[in-house]
Amino acid sequence: MQNPISPAAEIIVSLVPIVSIVLASVLLFFVLLWRHHENKQRILKGTYEPMKFNLRAFTLLTGLCLTGVGIVLSTLFFLLNGVDWTLLGGAIPLFVGFAFLLFYKINPDFKDKDGHED
């Protein structure tokens, strides 16, 4: 059986992801450089306020998202292939999500003075 795709098309199709990753990396570099220069100028003018990062919300949201994706992928891979190496494609995000949720639950910084969660 012959391959209906020409060799030139195969080369072009294989170059698309490489070029996309390189262009995205260059774009990300310049976005970060622009942000750096903007922060420097704000510091010089005295208008800079550091961004506050809410670790509690981040761990809860990331844990829920990864657990949900992991459950769906694990179920799908189990139904398609049974117990196989492909099941790791769903088990890895599932257990990383569980780890985030466990961190959210046991982190003492997320509790008030009385030991209750906010």
Side-chain angles (χ1 to χ4, degrees):
M1 186 169 140
Q2 288 184 343
N3 190 358
I5 301 175
S6 70
E10 287 180 0
I11 292 172
I12 291 172
V13 167
S14 66
L15 287 177
V16 167
I18 296 170
V19 171
S20 300
I21 290 171
V22 168
L23 287 176
S25 300
V26 169
L27 180 65
L28 181 64
F29 170 77
F30 283 110
V31 165
L32 291 174
L33 183 66
W34 178 273
R35 180 82 173 143
H36 170 69
H37 286 295
E38 183 181 20
N39 285 341
K40 275 193 336 188
Q41 291 301 317
R42 286 184 178 188
I43 289 170
L44 290 174
K45 290 184 178 183
T47 61
Y48 177 74
E49 292 182 18
M51 188 171 68
K52 293 177 178 49
F53 183 75
N54 189 349
L55 182 63
R56 182 176 185 201
F58 172 78
T59 55
L60 179 62
L61 179 64
T62 306
L64 289 173
C65 289
L66 284 173
T67 302
V69 167
I71 288 171
V72 170
L73 286 176
S74 295
T75 304
L76 177 73
F77 290 145
F78 180 74
L79 292 176
L80 290 177
N81 299 329
V83 178
D84 195 8
W85 287 106
T86 57
L87 194 58
L88 284 176
I92 290 172
L94 176 66
F95 286 106
V96 171
F98 283 156
F100 271 112
L101 292 175
L102 182 67
F103 175 76
Y104 174 80
K105 189 67 178 164
I106 66 172
N107 189 349
D109 293 339
F110 296 162
K111 300 190 184 325
D112 61 6
K113 292 180 248 180
D114 299 330
H116 303 312
E117 292 184 20
D118 292 334

